[in-house]
Amino acid sequence: MELHIGTAGWQVTAAQRDAFPTEGTHLHRYAARLGAAEINSSFYRPHATATYARWRAQTPPGFRFAVKLPRAITHQARLREAGEALHTFLDQVAGLSDRLGCLLVQLPPSLRFDAVVADGFLRALRRRHAGDVVLEPRHASWFDEQADALLVQHHVARVLADPQLHPRGAAPGGWPGLVYLRLHGTPRVYTSAYEPGWLHRLAERIVQARRETAALWCIFDNTAEGHALRDAMALQQAVDARQEMTS
């Protein structure tokens, strides 16, 4: 199983700086300790191909980025007639080359599942991109069997998010070849830290999942007070310790 643990962004906080190298950019320093990061700024504004290429150059070969699709596609166009915007976005992220690990499609809470619209969007995306894709829906209609079957058809995994918004969101969905955890913080979204015991239990589940999926991502998005970086490193250490015990 490919395992990618990281945070949304790569800011090295003052509280954690002693755990990282002192030289280099924030990304250089971050990538010395963690093997993945999620780029969320792409949701708000485009980045030039050269910018993505510069980020690639600051990371080691095994590092992987997940990149969030622009809100112009997901929230403004609401997945309709997205072909040209997808083409532009994918041309930009091509600057990551082999460091591009996954595309993240996050939907607005108001966007209901529409089989025709969803299928058209996923077909347009798959004509242009064969790599890993995950989708984070937030409307309850995306958690039924029809939506799940469509995601499986297009090899798209449904994000397992914390906190969960709907009962059927308690487990990953869609294509089973990829599991993507987005940990936003509980009970205060984007703010709360995860308890050490919770992280150790998650590490046990991750190690147990080695034979169940081809790839697993765990991205901490509880960045508002700097807890994401601490939690990601604690989880990586717990996973490493359990893997040594079982090897």
Side-chain angles (χ1 to χ4, degrees), residues 2-247:
E2 293 183 11
L3 177 61
H4 309 289
I5 296 174
T7 66
W10 47 80
Q11 187 72 22
V12 176
T13 62
Q16 300 292 335
R17 63 186 176 189
D18 291 343
F20 292 83
T22 57
E23 301 295 327
T25 66
H26 278 281
L27 181 53
H28 270 123
R29 297 165 64 205
Y30 173 98
R33 291 296 307 275
L34 291 167
E38 186 181 272
I39 299 174
N40 279 268
S41 55
S42 54
F43 176 78
Y44 300 100
R45 61 187 184 278
H47 298 301
T49 305
T51 299
Y52 285 108
R54 184 173 70 251
W55 290 337
R56 177 192 182 277
Q58 295 176 30
T59 60
F63 194 92
R64 293 294 179 268
F65 292 94
V67 189
K68 187 187 288 190
L69 262 67
R71 60 182 172 181
I73 296 173
T74 56
H75 288 53
Q76 295 168 8
R78 299 173 73 84
L79 306 184
R80 297 174 182 271
E81 299 180 358
E84 184 175 348
L86 279 173
H87 182 77
T88 299
F89 170 70
L90 291 171
D91 273 354
Q92 294 164 353
V93 299
L96 292 175
S97 186
D98 59 322
R99 306 293 201 276
L100 176 59
C102 188
L103 298 181
L104 167 64
V105 184
Q106 186 188 58
L107 303 182
S110 62
L111 186 57
R112 299 179 60 90
F113 175 69
D114 181 310
V116 174
V117 173
D119 183 59
F121 168 75
L122 293 175
R123 287 182 184 277
L125 176 57
R126 281 308 190 196
R127 281 196 295 269
R128 296 166 173 82
H129 180 73
D132 285 344
V133 177
V134 297
L135 184 138
E136 184 179 16
R138 289 179 284 178
H139 192 280
S141 60
W142 283 86
F143 293 83
D144 65 14
E145 294 180 358
Q146 183 184 13
D148 211 54
L150 184 63
L151 294 178
V152 171
Q153 177 185 338
H154 292 287
H155 281 206
V156 174
R158 190 183 72 229
V159 167
L160 173 56
D162 179 71
Q164 81 180 59
L165 300 178
H166 308 287
R168 291 187 177 180
W175 183 55
L178 171 63
V179 174
Y180 197 103
L181 312 180
R182 293 195 86 217
L183 306 177
H184 301 294
T186 303
R188 293 184 298 155
V189 176
Y190 307 125
T191 301
S192 293
Y194 288 95
E195 294 296 327
W198 191 93
L199 293 171
H200 281 280
R201 290 190 294 274
L202 177 57
E204 292 174 357
R205 291 175 58 192
I206 288 173
V207 173
Q208 292 170 0
R210 286 182 298 184
R211 296 186 179 89
E212 300 171 10
T213 187
L216 191 151
W217 288 71
C218 187
I219 296 295
F220 288 88
D221 193 28
N222 52 335
T223 57
E225 295 184 359
H227 295 304
L229 193 59
R230 187 213 69 175
D231 289 346
M233 290 195 299
L235 178 63
Q236 184 68 68
Q237 290 169 0
V239 169
D240 291 344
R242 277 158 178 76
Q243 288 180 331
E244 287 180 8
M245 293 171 58
T246 59
S247 62

